[in-house]
Structure formats: structure tokens, C-alpha cells
Amino acid sequence: MLCTAAVVVVGIAAWIMSSAAGGDDGRSLQWSLLVFAALTLLAHLAVRQFAAHADPVILPCVVLLNGLGLVLIDRLDRAEAASAAAKGVAAPSSDAAHQLIWTAAGIALFALVLVVVRNHTQPARYAYTCGLAGVVALLIPAVLPARFSEVNGGKSWILFSGFSIQPGEFAKVLLLIFVAAFLVANRDLFGAAGRRVLGFTVPRLRDLGPLLVVTFVSVLVLVYEKNLGFSLLVFGTVLAMVYIATGRASWLLIGVAMFAVGAVVAYHLFAHVRVRVRVWEDPMATYYTNGYQIAQGLFGLGTGGLWGTGLGAGRPQEVPFAKTDFIISTIGEELGLFGLTAVILLFGVITVRGFSAALATRDAFGKLLGGGLAFSVGWQLFVVIGGVTKLIPLTGLTTPFMSYGGSSLLANYVIVALLIRISHDARTQAAPAAPPPAPIAEAMTEHIRRPRPR
């Protein structure tokens, strides 16, 4: 029922956008909606077949976000086609059609994960393999020549004969599996073993070794690749998982201190970091160069106001990379503050439901993995919106499920599949059996003194 409602909302949004923006005869839109509805049905059947007791709200929220993203990308395609027609040049290929293909691939991968991972504890058996694979995935773009890995100044891609993929998106999931398993195996050491420094316990370096190696290698590689947003995403998520595992607020202080030191070092070592900070401080000072994107995004949000200009009635195409990094600006301009708030609430529902599934499961690995995956979705949205609204420096991350891009969509569907698996297992796990009664000969006895009658 909820998936049907999500598809209906997407269909209404697409009809409104098509009526306002125009650009086709409506047949391609109808076919796209039919394909999207069929894909939603396949995802629903996969959940009913392989995780029937899972949380029934997570998938409909994902479907709605994915569908709205397709509508907005199609809206920007139409704007580009109109601009090309005005200039007398050929219109570019439809990114919405490509994104629909990636959606089909994402749902296929979503179903495959549900089929293969029949128990959420399975990935823990391959924790160190996942950690190694995640680091290798991050290293590949860094060692490739620029023509095979660099897009818009960042070396985070694999480019080959018109095909492109960001391995870092999948590395994120692999590293979270490793971190969850590692923390489960060494949780007591994080909270007990070590030295007391300034009132709290610092674990021994040998206990932290594997975790520090993976974290710092990931961050250093991503800094070298000029993908600082993804570094912040990985570091913040790992820090949150450490806090979930130990329950010690001191770890948050350690993490903030490490981040502050890393930020200062990166600012002095890398010119592109200094550029991002200066644009964040005053985008109008470099409006015609580096500050143009963030300034136009702020103009779009201001134009939208509370209610927005309406789907298809704004000018979000004036913002560079409106389909990817700045799709939040597109939402804010055409749907207004209320529409943007609704989108944020949908992400909030996914995050909260993910945490609920993590809390409901009875094993430590499921709690940590579910908590880390759910936090990564919410944390990524915060980083994206913070950059677009100039709350924090712009990072270049994309909005999950909504921005154009296949790698992000595939990786996030894997995250959703794992959360649904954890939710299903949590709801079907049998309660722990009560210990058998001890034999009378081994039962503890207690002498009770009878009070004397008065």
C-alpha cells in the first residue's frame, strides 16, 4: 500500500512537471512511469519473498525519494533541451533515462543482496576481506592516470570507453562492515584497556591499529583524490560507530580533536581546500569564478521561498551541477522550504527506522552495522545540505537516491537492502531461552530463621 502511494505521488509530480515545463508529447513520460512502477513492484516482491517481516516503511520512503529524483532530473533535462533548441544545437542525451536504467540496476542489486545475505551476520565472516577490498577500491582511482580517473579536478572515478564508476561509493559499505566487526571483537578494549588521560581511558595503540590504518588510509587517499566530502563522510560515520560501541562521549571529543587537526593541516597543505573555505566565507567575493555555484544555489533557495515556484516553473538550471551536487537547490527552488522539509523528513524516517532495526536486533554486530548504515544516510544528507546552504564548506557529495549518478544509487540500494535484512532478522529472532532449572542437589540453599512466637 505504501509503495503504491509513493508511486502515485511520483506520478502526480511528474504530470505537474510535464504540464509546466513541456518538452515532449507525454508518451515517454508515461512509459517511464510504467517502468518505474514495475521496478517498484519487483522491489516490493523481493522484500515480501526474502525479508517478509522487515520494516514496511523503509522501502516506500526510498521509492518516493528515488522517484522524485527522477522527476527533477527529467525537469532539468527539459530545460537543457529548451536551451539547446534556442541556440540551434542538438539537445544532449536524457540523463533521466540513464538514471532510470541505474534505478533498475540498483533494484536488481537490492534484490540480489537480499537473496545472498540470508542472515545479517554473514558479512562479519569476511570483515578483514571487506576492509582490504574497501581500501583497494579507494586506491584504484588514485594510482590511475588522470585521463582514466579525473573528473572536474577530482580523482575519484574509473573511466573507460564511456563507462564511469566511483568505487569509493562501494568502499564506504565495505569499510563499515569491517569497522562493525572489528569493534565487536575489540569493544571491551576500547572501554577498559588503556591509560587514563584527562579523566578518560585511551585504548592502547596496538588495539587501535587496524582501525586507525583503515581510517587514515581512507582519509589520506580521499584527500589526495580531492574528495574531501567523502573523507568527512567516512570519518564521521566511523566515529559514530565507535561511540555506539563504547557509549563513551570521550570518543567524540577525540574525534573532534582529530578532525580539527586534520582540517588545519589540509587547509595549509592543499590549495583546493583553501579555495573551498574562502568560497564558504564569502561566495560573492568570487561570484564570477569559484563562488558562482554556491551563490546561484542560494539565489535558487531564496527564490523558492516557503512554497516554491512549482515543479517546472523555476530556473534551477542556472545552478551548475544542479542534477548532482546541487539537486537540493533544485528542490528548494521548485518545492520551497516546505517541500524541502518534507524530503528531509523522508530521510529522517529512513534513518530513524534504520536505528530502530539496529536496536531491535540482539547481536552486537547487527547493532553496530545497522547503526552505522543508518547514520551514514543521515550524515551524508546533513553534509550535503550544509554545503548547499553555506552552513559548512561545500564538499561535493551527492544527495542519496535523488542526485544523478549510478554509483551512488547502487551503493545506497545496497545499504537499504542490508537495513531491511537487519530489520527482518530482528523481528524474527527468537527470544533467548530461559536457562534450564538446576537439579535439586545443585540448587543453592538458604537458611531462614523462623521468628519466635511472642
Side-chain angles (χ1 to χ4, degrees), residues 154-396:
K155 285 175 59 66
S156 58
W157 296 81
I158 296 177
L159 308 172
F160 182 74
S161 298
F163 175 79
S164 63
I165 192 169
Q166 273 187 302
E169 293 287 349
F170 304 97
K172 172 181 64 177
V173 182
L174 295 172
L175 291 176
L176 292 187
I177 292 173
F178 164 77
V179 171
F182 178 80
L183 289 176
V184 168
N186 299 273
R187 183 170 53 181
D188 293 338
L189 298 177
F190 280 77
R195 296 182 179 181
R196 299 286 294 180
V197 177
L198 299 177
F200 54 88
T201 303
V202 178
R204 298 170 298 186
L205 186 61
R206 66 188 182 190
D207 299 327
L208 285 174
L211 182 61
L212 289 176
V213 168
V214 171
T215 302
F216 280 106
V217 167
S218 302
V219 172
L220 287 175
V221 168
L222 292 170
V223 166
Y224 174 73
E225 295 174 357
K226 299 182 181 180
N227 194 343
L228 299 180
F230 204 77
S231 299
L232 180 61
L233 175 63
V234 171
F235 185 81
T237 305
V238 171
L239 179 61
M241 293 177 70
V242 172
Y243 174 70
I244 293 172
T246 62
R248 293 179 177 269
S250 57
W251 276 106
L252 298 179
L253 298 178
I254 295 174
V256 171
M258 292 175 63
F259 172 76
V261 172
V264 172
V265 172
Y267 179 83
H268 287 90
L269 289 182
F270 303 101
H272 64 277
V273 177
R274 293 193 292 273
V275 170
R276 289 286 178 92
V277 173
R278 290 166 185 165
V279 169
W280 169 61
E281 292 175 340
D282 187 8
M284 299 303 172
T286 55
Y287 175 77
Y288 293 103
T289 55
N290 297 317
Y292 181 79
Q293 183 184 32
I294 181 66
Q296 287 298 116
L298 293 174
F299 290 153
L301 292 172
T303 301
L306 292 178
W307 299 100
T309 60
L311 282 171
R315 296 179 60 84
Q317 66 273 14
E318 300 296 330
V319 182
F321 303 106
K323 298 177 185 177
T324 53
D325 301 359
F326 269 70
I327 201 167
I328 288 295
S329 175
T330 304
I331 298 170
E333 180 174 350
E334 301 214 327
L335 297 180
L337 178 61
F338 291 141
L340 182 57
T341 301
V343 169
I344 294 173
L345 289 176
L346 287 174
F347 280 105
V349 169
I350 295 173
T351 303
V352 171
R353 291 282 182 157
F355 275 122
S356 298
L359 290 173
T361 190
R362 293 184 174 87
D363 63 285
F365 176 75
K367 292 182 184 296
L368 281 178
L369 181 60
L373 294 173
F375 179 84
S376 69
V377 175
W379 178 240
Q380 183 168 347
L381 183 70
F382 169 80
V383 173
V384 170
I385 296 180
V388 172
T389 58
K390 212 174 79 66
L391 177 65
I392 60 176
L394 191 62
T395 58

